[in-house]
Amino acid sequence: MERTCLAVVLAAGDSTRMKSSMSKVLHPVGRRPMIAHVMEAIARADISTAALVVGRDADGVTAAARIDGMKVDAYLQTERLGTGHAVLAAREAIAAGYDDILIAYGDVPLITEAPLRAARQGLADGNDVVVIGFHTERPTGYGRLLVKDGELIAIREEKDATDAERRVNWCNSGLMAINGRKALDLLDRIGNDNAKGEYYLTDVVQIARSLGGQAVAVDASETELTGCNNRAELAVIERLWQERRRHELMISGVTMIAPETVFLAYDTVIGQDVVIEPNVFFGPGAVVESGAVIHSFSHIERSRIGAGAEIGPFARLRPGAELAANSKVGNFCEVKNSKVGEGAKVNHLTYIGDATIGAHANIGAGTITCNYDGVNKFETHIGAGSFIGSNSSLVAPVSIGENAYVASGSVITADVPAEALALGRARQEVKPGRATVIRERALAMKAAKNAKE
Ligand code: UD1
Ligand code: MG
């Protein structure tokens, strides 16, 4: 039978060093709150029930933690009396009875499912406590894992450690799994007789052993156990997250010429054979289908770029931009809430908002859909195969029929039928010799002025 598991996630963290009006675990990594990343790793380890220990911003933190498929109950820790005390805030959930209790931190967002699974496997193998540790060159500040003959004897906090113990470089990440049938008994025995006067969760190791149980440590990478205490660390975590995600995408068949300059969101989807040039930013909700090319300095959010389409350099796709296969949105173009048809081209200096553009239409340089009257938004429909001359303003609501022509420089305020030509500009007049007259008059004026001075 499958073992049942409750994840206890500590998110009552001390956010003071973030210097923020918002709880630490709500700060985003890859455009998503840190806490949601932790919950995602837990979900991937096939755990679907979590007890969230919250302090500040309880409602916001709980909402952010409620990812799909995860049942989350929140428990308030009113006083911060230590990690052991924090876990016991979820007493009621733990008491419901699980085979495994997995403890995770809300401010360790790079955690992946692998060490969580390894920790649970350690319980299945008969251990009462399995601690997730990491090796580091800079162990200062962390609890040290004291191991003998493969067994974890104790975790010694920095402040309570001897010099010899401080030289140990295998450290406690804080994440651990505890035998769920014994967890409450073990946790209730934790005291606060130590250098900090806190209830140390880490004491469960010695407590479990004193009751005849066994504890072990499993190893994970220092990178994925990086915690966040201030905004400088947040930036480090963001960098590590971006590196990991880019790597996954490149391995899955995406070309990035300068990957370190491409910024992804947690839900960015990019198909095979897509080429991304340097300096591209993805906000949430971007989907890029296979073979598309994203030229430099493009900014994309809540948009879909069809197979073989091309955008940029300097293209901005705002929410609701949907580019069909093989379409093009070129330099200094902005597309918002609009569909660009298959093979259609919007190549230069254009704003397309609340519009539909039919297949193979050509939108000339400087075309603007005037979609807003200062109060309401209106739609523009541009038929397949039509040609919009450069520097035209299409004043919505307005429709241009299939295969129609709009003359350059037009201001189009009325619908244009299919196959028609529309001119919405003053007719050109040519006055022969008139330039000479104007120039001579100007020169004479200047000469008269100079003579006076
Ligand atoms: C803890 C571990 C230490 C480990 C380190 C890893 C203990 C006693 N020590 O130390 O062995 O190497 O984490 O980062 O567990 N929290 C609460 N409520 C509290 C206290 C803490 O929610 O009352 C949360 C914090 O917000 C944080 C986590 O628990 O997310 C760890 O607490 P912190 O005070 O940072 O513990 P450390 O001293 O760093
Ligand atoms: Mg800490």
Side-chain angles (χ1 to χ4, degrees):
M1 254 229 355
E2 209 161 286
R3 297 170 65 93
T4 58
C5 182
L6 171 75
V8 177
V9 183
L10 304 191
D14 175 9
S15 299
T16 48
R17 280 189 286 156
M18 291 296 278
K19 303 259 163 59
S20 175
S21 58
M22 176 167 87
S23 163
K24 173 164 69 180
V25 299
L26 289 179
H27 282 262
V29 171
R31 314 284 123 194
R32 189 184 205 193
M34 242 184 267
I35 185 72
H37 287 274
V38 175
M39 303 313 285
E40 192 71 46
I42 291 169
R44 287 187 186 189
D46 292 327
I47 301 165
S48 54
T49 313
L52 189 67
V53 177
V54 290
R56 208 178 155 192
D57 283 352
D59 293 344
V61 171
T62 309
R66 288 212 165 103
I67 63 163
D68 281 351
M70 180 71 69
K71 181 181 170 294
V72 179
D73 286 323
Y75 296 87
L76 196 64
Q77 188 196 20
T78 43
E79 282 179 293
R80 284 175 50 86
L81 300 179
T83 47
H85 178 261
V87 174
L88 276 173
R91 173 185 296 278
E92 192 190 313
I94 298 168
Y98 294 87
D99 296 318
D100 304 346
I101 301 294
L102 181 82
I103 293 155
Y105 286 0
D107 60 356
V108 181
L110 298 176
I111 188 75
T112 64
E113 61 173 283
L116 303 183
R117 284 188 189 277
R120 290 190 66 196
Q121 185 57 48
L123 295 183
D125 292 344
N127 297 289
D128 281 343
V129 180
V130 186
V131 172
I132 300 176
F134 63 98
H135 285 87
T136 177
E137 311 259 281
R138 287 158 285 126
T140 308
Y142 292 110
R144 308 301 205 283
L145 302 184
L146 308 182
V147 178
K148 203 174 158 208
D149 302 327
E151 283 185 43
L152 182 62
I153 307 297
I155 303 174
R156 191 77 74 233
E157 290 307 296
E158 172 94 17
K159 285 198 172 165
D160 303 289
T162 64
D163 286 347
E165 287 167 347
R166 283 186 188 167
R167 282 195 288 277
V168 171
N169 71 347
W170 203 15
C171 294
N172 173 28
S173 69
L175 282 68
M176 64 174 78
I178 305 177
N179 178 336
R181 306 295 165 192
K182 298 185 181 172
L184 272 188
D185 182 38
L186 299 178
L187 292 164
D188 276 330
R189 290 171 191 257
I190 295 174
N192 63 352
D193 182 16
N194 52 52
K196 279 185 165 178
E198 285 187 358
Y199 293 87
Y200 285 172
L201 172 62
T202 46
D203 285 353
V204 290
V205 172
Q206 277 168 298
I207 293 168
R209 287 175 56 83
S210 72
L211 296 174
Q214 204 167 296
V216 291
V218 295
D219 202 32
S221 79
E222 186 180 2
T223 304
E224 71 178 271
L225 294 167
T226 308
C228 180
N229 295 300
N230 57 46
R231 298 197 200 219
E233 289 176 4
L234 178 65
V236 169
I237 288 171
E238 179 75 33
R239 175 173 59 75
L240 293 167
W241 184 88
Q242 292 286 344
E243 282 170 4
R244 181 196 282 175
R245 191 69 196 112
R246 288 175 200 128
H247 184 79
E248 286 169 359
L249 286 169
M250 289 188 281
I251 295 303
S252 77
V254 176
T255 293
M256 295 188 194
I257 295 168
E260 65 282 6
T261 67
V262 174
F263 293 87
L264 303 160
Y266 71 98
D267 60 349
T268 306
V269 177
I270 306 182
Q272 204 177 304
D273 291 317
V274 168
V275 175
I276 303 178
E277 290 184 352
N279 296 304
V280 170
F281 184 94
F282 290 95
V287 176
V288 186
E289 290 173 2
S290 59
V293 179
I294 315 293
H295 294 287
S296 290
F297 301 104
S298 293
H299 190 286
I300 302 143
E301 61 177 321
R302 301 203 190 288
S303 296
R304 174 178 288 271
I305 300 172
E310 223 175 293
I311 75 158
F314 299 97
R316 178 165 186 211
L317 302 189
R318 289 175 50 207
E322 287 189 29
L323 314 192
N326 302 316
S327 59
K328 275 178 85 174
V329 172
N331 39 257
F332 307 108
C333 292
E334 173 179 338
V335 180
K336 184 218 74 171
N337 188 32
S338 295
K339 289 188 164 68
V340 177
E342 191 171 340
K345 291 180 185 163
V346 183
N347 268 341
H348 333 266
L349 301 153
T350 286
Y351 172 63
I352 299 293
D354 304 312
T356 58
I357 299 177
H360 304 288
N362 190 311
I363 311 300
T367 299
I368 305 289
T369 54
C370 309
N371 61 327
Y372 187 47
D373 62 5
V375 181
N376 299 300
K377 301 270 169 72
F378 300 96
E379 292 182 4
T380 301
H381 297 285
I382 301 174
S386 59
F387 182 96
I388 310 300
S390 294
N391 202 28
S392 294
S393 302
L394 308 177
V395 182
V398 72
S399 288
I400 314 293
E402 288 188 6
N403 302 316
Y405 263 72
V406 168
S408 293
S410 291
V411 177
I412 299 294
T413 53
D415 289 353
V416 179
E419 304 289 340
L421 165 68
L423 295 108
R425 64 187 191 207
R427 185 172 288 279
Q428 181 171 324
E429 276 183 65
V430 177
K431 303 192 173 177
R434 187 75 182 145
T436 318
V437 174
I438 292 171
R439 190 179 320 108
E440 279 169 0
R441 195 171 60 195
L443 288 169
M445 223 184 219
K446 192 172 181 186
K449 197 176 163 209
N450 287 347
K452 246 191 219 167
E453 280 170 3

